[in-house]
Amino acid sequence: MPARRLALTAAATVGGAALFTYAVRSADTGEILQGVQRVGWGLAAILALAGARFLIRAECWRLCMPPLDYARGKPGARLTRAQAFSAFLAGDALGSVTPLGLLASEPAKILLTRHHLATREAVASLAAENLVYSASVMAMVGAGVAVLLATVPLPAAWQWGLAAL
């Protein structure tokens, strides 16, 4: 790793740790600990599910990339799982901590993969992954609305409104 990149990584790590320390100190530490105790070991499951979500989305992104084309003597560029996961996680984190959201996270993912993947391929595969993810979110929301309508007694106006979704 070049010295400049190492220095930038170290500075980002120190800055992130300082911001985390500031956030914990500005909140009530006792209240944070009580919240963690209330959740208990379920916190580990929650964190594991959150991490699995990022792993699955990064792998989906990889699967949306052009296939390797050995027949024409041109192997297509592919990201490794680690490269895709780190770019996906960093881009998502950037979108979460800035008010720009998707306007920051998606270009950051493409920018972070520029040394491994052509910009055209990165944009196309990321757009395809976002379409697949959006379709899965819509399916889950639809299933949730169906379960809600089947199990919870609601006024007729609410039922018609939810059914219209």
Side-chain angles (χ1 to χ4, degrees):
M1 185 181 282
R4 181 177 175 198
R5 190 171 182 185
L6 184 62
L8 183 61
T9 301
T13 302
V14 169
L19 284 173
F20 181 73
T21 303
Y22 171 76
V24 169
R25 286 189 177 174
S26 64
D28 183 15
T29 309
E31 191 173 320
I32 293 171
L33 291 175
Q34 285 176 356
V36 169
Q37 288 174 344
R38 279 193 307 265
V39 175
W41 286 103
L43 182 61
I46 291 168
L47 293 175
L49 284 173
R53 176 181 165 263
F54 287 119
L55 281 171
I56 290 168
R57 287 199 64 194
E59 185 60 21
C60 181
W61 181 23
R62 286 185 70 238
L63 292 172
C64 290
M65 290 176 191
L68 301 178
D69 188 6
Y70 292 110
R72 290 193 280 162
K74 293 171 33 178
R78 296 284 297 235
L79 296 177
T80 65
R81 281 183 177 85
Q83 290 167 337
F85 181 69
S86 64
F88 200 92
L89 195 58
D92 197 78
L94 185 64
S96 295
V97 300
T98 64
L100 299 174
L102 287 175
L103 294 176
S105 67
E106 302 311 300
K109 293 171 190 173
I110 293 165
L111 183 68
L112 291 168
T113 60
R114 72 185 182 281
H115 298 299
H116 309 288
L117 196 61
T119 302
R120 175 177 36 115
E121 292 172 347
V123 170
S125 60
L126 194 57
E129 187 277 330
N130 276 303
L131 287 173
V132 170
Y133 178 69
S134 298
S136 71
V137 168
M138 288 189 304
M140 288 295 106
V141 168
V145 168
V147 169
L148 177 72
L149 288 171
T151 60
V152 176
L154 294 170
W158 279 82
Q159 289 179 349
W160 284 105
L162 288 171
L165 288 175

